[in-house]
Amino acid sequence: MNILVIDAQGGGLGKQIVSAIKKTYPDIIITAVGTNSVAASNMLKAGADHAATGENAIIAGSRKADIIIGPIGIVIADSMYGEVTPKMAAAVGQSNAKRLLIPTNQCDNIVLGISNVSIGNIISSILDYLKTECSAAT
């Protein structure tokens, strides 16, 4: 299973996701792609197996991924303070991968109905989903 974790800004959310997945499923291969080098570096420090930066890395990674995980902004052009380009958003949206999108209310993109959902609960949901996927793959 090829998991692609995408994050922007400082990569804080991606770092938490990578760390939780690696702690629970140490054998899963994770490629972390940041829209900038700081985000990529922080996800690599959290335990990602591979890391890359930028538009082409997201485009190429989206073609190879089985599962893509990241904030909902990764499918919205010009989101995350402009760090997500239209080509990045299209690549993620058109990928054959399953997308686990984290509802974050930032950058004028408001996801209604999630006002009190904690990052910890969201990460637990990701781990539950991966448990199901890993069971189905074996």
Side-chain angles (χ1 to χ4, degrees):
M1 181 178 319
N2 183 11
I3 296 180
L4 177 65
V5 178
I6 301 172
D7 203 3
Q9 308 291 297
L13 179 60
K15 181 178 179 178
Q16 291 179 64
I17 292 166
V18 168
S19 179
I21 293 171
K22 279 301 195 177
K23 183 177 181 182
T24 307
Y25 302 103
D27 295 332
I28 286 181
I29 302 299
I30 298 174
T31 300
V33 179
T35 59
N36 60 63
S37 61
V38 173
S41 176
N42 282 331
M43 291 187 284
L44 187 60
K45 289 176 188 172
D49 298 285
H50 312 283
T53 301
E55 182 178 79
N56 197 61
I58 289 175
I59 292 168
S62 293
R63 285 193 302 258
K64 298 175 185 175
D66 298 309
I67 297 173
I68 298 172
I69 305 172
I72 197 166
I74 64 175
V75 295
I76 302 171
D78 300 327
S79 68
M80 301 171 119
Y81 300 105
E83 289 190 30
V84 176
T85 68
K87 288 181 181 180
M88 290 174 176
V92 173
Q94 293 172 347
S95 174
N96 289 327
K98 301 224 174 132
R99 288 167 291 283
L100 305 183
L101 301 175
I102 296 151
T104 55
N105 291 330
Q106 295 179 355
C107 306
D108 298 326
N109 296 303
I110 310 301
V111 181
L112 299 175
I114 59 119
S115 58
N116 293 319
V117 178
S118 73
I119 294 300
N121 287 341
I122 291 170
I123 290 175
S124 291
S125 294
I126 291 169
L127 296 175
D128 290 343
Y129 180 83
L130 292 177
K131 181 178 181 181
T132 303
E133 285 294 306
C134 288
S135 296
T138 57

